[in-house]
Amino acid sequence: MSMMMLDWTRRAACLDQDPELFFPISMEGPSQSQVEEAKAVCRGCPVREPCLAYALSTRQAYGVWGGTDPDQRRELSPTAARRPETVPAQPLRGDR
């Protein structure tokens, strides 16, 4: 990906923040307040949409991007909509 495509990063609200804020050890428990703090920074960010688009297109599995956590991005992922519903397996018959 060229630097021209990531030009939006120079205007990001998180630019002067500690990157660790956006990559907590966990997304649950005590780290949840860190996640909420990172999302608060994103709420006022002028490049929130391209940040989220980047995270979705590059399948960022960790961190807060565009005001979303990994679970939220999985819900927004285009592949999530195409994922088939799971169907319980049928019990095996006979000697199996």
Side-chain angles (χ1 to χ4, degrees):
M1 191 163 285
S2 74
M3 282 308 291
M4 286 291 280
M5 294 181 80
L6 296 177
D7 188 48
W8 57 267
T9 61
R10 292 187 283 162
R11 298 185 328 273
C14 61
L15 197 57
D16 296 328
Q17 300 285 324
D18 182 352
E20 289 187 20
L21 174 64
F22 297 88
F23 293 92
I25 292 172
S26 167
M27 289 291 167
E28 300 170 350
S31 295
Q32 188 58 41
S33 63
Q34 184 179 345
V35 171
E36 291 307 317
E37 187 179 341
K39 287 180 178 182
V41 172
C42 294
R43 277 192 285 277
C45 184
V47 294
R48 183 176 178 181
E49 288 183 27
C51 179
L52 177 56
Y54 171 80
L56 291 171
S57 69
T58 58
R59 298 181 182 159
Q60 295 296 317
Y62 303 100
V64 174
W65 292 84
T68 63
D69 60 49
D71 289 338
Q72 292 169 317
R73 287 193 303 280
R74 277 190 286 279
E75 293 289 321
L76 294 172
S77 171
T79 57
R82 286 185 265 134
R83 208 174 303 144
E85 294 287 326
T86 57
V87 178
Q90 295 295 319
L92 296 174
R93 296 177 190 203
D95 293 332
R96 297 182 196 193

